Amino acid sequence: MTQPRTGGQLGDALQTRNAPRSIDEWEALLDSDAAEVVETDIGEMAIVRERGQLHLHYAFDDLEALTAAWHPCFDALRERIGGSGFPYVTIDLVEHINRRWIENLLAECDFQEMGEWLELVHPGLRDVVPPEIPEGLTMRRAQPDDADAIVAIEGAAYGEWTDGEAATLARIEAAGWTGVLERDGEVIAYAINTPVGDGRGEVMSCAVTPDAQGGGIGKVILGAATYQLAASDGREAAVRVRPDIPQAARTATAVGYLVGRRGIELRRDSDEEVLRQARDDARVRGMKVRFGGWR
C-alpha cells in the first residue's frame, strides 16, 4: 500500500513510466491488494499480480530520477520477487520514449526481451452477434477437468511465446468466463475472458490446437469470447497478440478488432541461482572468445 502524494505534487510528478496511465490510475494500481510497492521521494516501483503473472511497474519524476532510483528500488523488491511463487517477473514497455535508458537498466537486472505485442480493441460490442458453430463442433463453458487440455493447446499454439502453465491456470481461476470448442469429445480450442469492469473486458488467452488451425476455428472461438463479453454488458473488448504469430492479428481483425497500442515485453527469472549460473556461463563464453585467438 502507498500514501498518495500531496495535491501540489501530482501535476508534475511521475512523468517517466513503463506504460501511460493517469495519476489516479497509478494510485489505484499501487493501492490494490495485488501490489507490493517501494516508494521514494522521486517515484515508485511495484510488483503486481495481474493476468496470471507477476508484473513490474514503475513511475518516476524524470529520466534522472529513474536512473538514480532504479537499482535501489529493484534491489528492495528482489527478495519479494524470489519468494513470490511466480517463475518469472515480466515488464511491459508501452509507448516508452527514450527506451534505450530503461532497456540498459533492465539488462543490468537480467531482464531479457520476449518480443513485441499488439493490443487490438473491439470498440462497438453492441452489434456483436454470436458466431455460427460449424457442424461437428460443440461450444461449451469449460469445466475444471479441461485445464490440462487448455494448457497443452496454449503451449502448442504459442510455442516460445507461451506464458507458461502457472499463468494459464491462474487466468482460468480468475476468469469471468472460459469456453472451449470440442470435436468428437476432444477440446480443440479455448478462450479465457476477464470479468467485465467499467464496460471493458479482455480476452486474456485464446488458441486453437495446431492440428485444427487454418479452417476458421480461430474466428469461431474468438467470436464466441467477444460475444460473451458483449452479453456481460461490455462496451469494449481487447485482445493482445504477438506480431511473431501473424495469424493471431489476422483472426482478430476478421472478427472486428482494430489495431490499438503496441508494447514490448521483457522477462526475468525469479530464481537468483538460475540467474547467477547464466551470468557465470556468459563470462566463461566471453573468456573463450577473448583468449581463443579467433576474433
Side-chain angles (χ1 to χ4, degrees):
M1 304 291 285
T2 73
Q3 293 298 318
R5 295 181 176 217
T6 60
Q9 293 176 292
L10 292 182
D12 298 324
L14 307 179
Q15 295 301 305
T16 301
R17 321 170 196 196
N18 64 296
R21 54 171 58 88
S22 69
I23 293 292
D24 288 343
E25 289 171 335
W26 177 242
E27 295 293 349
L29 178 73
L30 299 195
D31 287 338
S32 70
D33 292 337
E36 297 185 59
V37 185
V38 174
E39 293 184 277
T40 75
D41 292 337
I42 53 177
E44 293 96 25
M45 183 180 290
I47 50 174
V48 184
R49 301 180 301 278
E50 54 186 350
R51 294 173 53 86
Q53 297 170 299
L54 186 66
H55 284 256
L56 181 71
H57 296 275
Y58 66 81
F60 292 101
D61 289 349
D62 50 39
L63 283 175
E64 183 178 356
L66 168 70
T67 304
W70 176 269
H71 285 294
C73 286
F74 188 79
D75 287 343
L77 290 172
R78 191 185 299 264
E79 185 174 345
R80 287 183 248 182
I81 292 170
S84 67
F86 288 85
Y88 58 84
V89 59
T90 185
I91 184 170
D92 289 320
L93 303 181
V94 186
E95 300 173 12
H96 199 292
I97 60 173
N98 299 311
R99 209 171 79 184
R100 177 177 59 84
W101 288 79
I102 182 58
E103 286 180 337
N104 288 339
L105 293 171
L106 288 167
E108 291 170 2
C109 294
D110 299 298
F111 280 85
Q112 296 185 357
E113 184 177 323
M114 278 293 293
E116 294 185 348
W117 52 259
L118 176 64
E119 184 180 77
L120 293 101
V121 178
H122 199 306
L125 296 187
R126 181 176 302 175
D127 299 325
V128 169
V129 297
E132 183 177 343
I133 308 301
E135 187 176 352
L137 299 184
T138 301
M139 183 79 211
R140 62 172 175 81
R141 191 160 189 154
Q143 300 300 313
D145 57 3
D146 293 317
D148 288 344
I150 292 172
V151 168
I153 292 172
E154 190 210 56
Y158 284 75
E160 62 184 295
W161 296 283
T162 181
D163 291 331
E165 178 178 357
T168 305
L169 294 176
R171 287 168 180 165
I172 293 172
E173 183 176 355
W177 174 88
T178 302
V180 297
L181 271 175
E182 276 187 331
R183 182 171 59 196
D184 299 328
E186 179 184 359
V187 175
I188 62 169
Y190 75 91
I192 305 172
N193 286 356
T194 66
V196 172
D198 296 325
R200 191 178 195 269
E202 180 180 355
V203 184
M204 286 190 290
S205 184
C206 182
V208 179
T209 187
D211 291 344
Q213 292 177 9
I217 303 301
K219 288 190 290 185
V220 174
I221 188 65
L222 182 58
T226 305
Y227 177 74
Q228 191 277 331
L229 293 173
S232 301
D233 296 325
R235 297 186 299 275
E236 180 180 276
V239 62
R240 183 180 293 191
V241 302
R242 299 274 187 187
D244 296 289
I245 309 176
Q247 66 268 27
R250 289 196 295 266
T251 298
T253 54
V255 173
Y257 285 79
L258 305 175
V259 174
R261 61 184 186 172
R262 292 177 176 269
I264 184 171
E265 179 188 1
L266 298 95
R267 291 183 186 177
R268 178 190 189 272
D269 200 293
S270 295
D271 191 326
E272 293 291 336
E273 179 59 27
V274 170
L275 295 172
R276 185 196 66 76
Q277 185 62 55
R279 288 192 293 269
D280 287 347
D281 291 345
R283 278 194 290 269
V284 170
R285 290 194 300 271
M287 290 285 285
K288 289 180 178 178
V289 170
R290 184 177 180 185
F291 298 108
W294 59 267
R295 284 192 303 170

